[in-house]
Amino acid sequence: MDVALLHGLLLLLILPVLLYWHSATFHYFCKVTFFNIWVLTMATLLSPFAAIRGRCVENMKLLCAAIRPLKHLYGIKIKVLGAEHLNLKEPYVIVCNHQASLDLMGMVEVIPKRCVPIAKKELLYMGTVGWACWLSGMIFIDRQRTGDAIDVISQTAKTIQRENLQVWIFPEGTRNQSRSMLPFKRGAFHLAVQAQVPIFPIVISPYWDFFSSKEKKFTSGMFTIRVLPRIETRGLSPKDVPELTETVRNIMVDVFAEMSANPCRDWPAELPLLPSTGATKGTDSTWHEEDTTGTSD
């Protein structure tokens, strides 16, 4: 009986190891689970230290330091191009494509010192993770209540000017692993126009070679982050937002397509100047529910 029990215990210990090395699906779920446990654990450990300082953007440094080791643990290499564009001390808005939770690893590689993400309000209620995000100065938006989202955008426009902050937004509004980008929500662009601050588009290359939630694939690999030149909004008004949104999206889609076709190429940091954005005739400048800000999913 004791021998049989011992053999059973050994089998229970060996089976997960065998599945990890021989089952891509099991391998995927193990890595995703570890990712989530890591984030939860780091948030729990760091929150008391962040609480001493109180809610402020300086606490973002703690979160970034906690996320950075993951790229080494997962064997993922990250190449950053054009990071010098972000070397400004003035406020601005960053818009970035959103593919998966792995975007966190890319974000902490380039996020400026005084930059806070805008996230969905549901994140605020995720235990110590939500608490850590709140302490780091993250801005939360209720995507189901358009009026509240508009008010948050208006308040944020004043805050980034008053406190000299930068804001990071995923304008697609949700994760997207398709071959292109989803339509952009206009919140980020309303924010930039209201605050009269520049926009910096950031494009993260696809993870297809090493990560796919649909195919349950998660191996080591490499991706590229490309920071594009600034896009000015000074002098623009709310009626220019629809055209501005589409202009920025189109150039990001083109860059994403180029990076998808040539993932190993060293892309130049500069791009041709964007066409000037003027008032869009016949465009309704009022907000609609589908136009609310994109957020981290």
Side-chain angles (χ1 to χ4, degrees):
M1 180 65 70
D2 291 339
V3 175
L5 179 60
L6 180 61
H7 287 169
L9 291 174
L10 288 175
L11 182 61
L12 288 175
L13 292 174
I14 295 173
L15 184 59
V17 177
L18 293 176
L19 286 173
Y20 184 83
W21 290 113
H22 297 286
S23 171
T25 300
F26 188 79
H27 187 93
Y28 167 85
F29 281 112
C30 284
K31 284 194 168 184
V32 170
T33 300
F34 179 81
F35 184 97
N36 294 327
I37 291 175
W38 179 276
V39 172
L40 176 61
T41 302
M42 290 297 105
T44 302
L45 293 175
L46 294 177
S47 289
F49 296 98
I52 295 173
R53 185 183 287 156
R55 176 175 163 84
C56 68
V57 67
E58 297 299 323
N59 285 328
M60 277 299 299
K61 296 178 182 177
L62 295 176
L63 289 185
C64 291
I67 298 297
R68 287 192 184 104
L70 284 171
K71 67 178 181 181
H72 302 295
L73 295 173
Y74 284 131
I76 295 176
K77 296 181 179 179
I78 304 173
K79 181 187 294 185
V80 179
L81 302 174
E84 66 276 5
H85 292 309
L86 301 178
N87 293 334
L88 297 178
K89 295 182 179 180
E90 63 189 71
Y92 52 82
V93 173
I94 294 173
V95 292
C96 180
N97 60 313
H98 192 20
Q99 300 179 76
S101 297
L102 297 189
D103 295 339
L104 285 176
M105 287 192 278
M107 184 173 71
V108 300
E109 288 292 306
V110 296
I111 192 169
K113 292 181 179 179
R114 294 190 57 77
C115 182
V116 293
I118 288 184
K120 62 181 181 180
K121 194 173 183 179
E122 291 85 344
L123 181 62
L124 185 59
Y125 306 113
M126 294 179 62
T128 54
V129 173
W131 188 34
C133 291
W134 183 84
L135 287 170
S136 300
M138 282 192 189
I139 300 166
F140 299 94
I141 285 185
D142 188 345
R143 297 184 295 186
Q144 306 303 318
R145 302 179 65 179
T146 305
D148 289 350
I150 296 171
D151 184 61
V152 170
I153 287 295
S154 299
Q155 292 301 319
T156 302
K158 298 175 183 177
T159 301
I160 63 176
Q161 287 284 20
R162 183 177 66 252
E163 299 184 17
N164 192 34
L165 297 177
Q166 294 88 37
V167 176
W168 185 298
I169 303 177
F170 295 104
E172 291 173 281
T174 189
R175 302 171 191 174
N176 171 40
Q177 293 185 45
S178 68
R179 298 284 168 172
S180 186
M181 297 183 192
L182 298 173
F184 281 6
K185 299 182 185 299
R186 297 175 185 168
F189 306 93
H190 275 288
L191 171 60
V193 169
Q194 284 189 38
Q196 293 288 281
V197 298
I199 296 171
F200 283 93
I202 292 182
V203 181
I204 300 177
S205 65
Y207 307 138
W208 305 326
D209 290 342
F210 64 93
F211 177 87
S212 173
S213 59
K214 294 181 180 179
E215 300 175 6
K216 300 297 180 287
K217 176 175 66 176
F218 197 166
T219 63
S220 59
M222 176 182 140
F223 65 88
T224 301
I225 303 170
R226 187 172 172 191
V227 184
L228 308 185
R230 64 193 287 166
I231 299 168
E232 294 293 348
T233 65
R234 193 171 300 277
L236 299 184
S237 66
K239 66 182 179 181
D240 299 313
V241 167
E243 183 180 345
L244 175 65
T245 303
E246 286 307 305
T247 300
V248 175
R249 181 184 180 278
N250 288 339
I251 196 167
M252 290 178 66
V253 166
D254 289 344
V255 172
F256 184 78
E258 291 173 352
M259 296 171 77
S260 302
N262 301 280
C264 297
R265 177 175 171 181
D266 288 330
W267 296 100
E270 297 297 331
L271 284 174
L273 292 177
L274 288 171
S276 59
T277 304
T280 304
K281 295 181 180 180
T283 301
D284 182 4
S285 63
T286 58
W287 280 42
H288 302 284
E289 184 172 359
E290 64 272 21
D291 294 336
T292 55
T293 183
T295 57
S296 175
D297 185 30

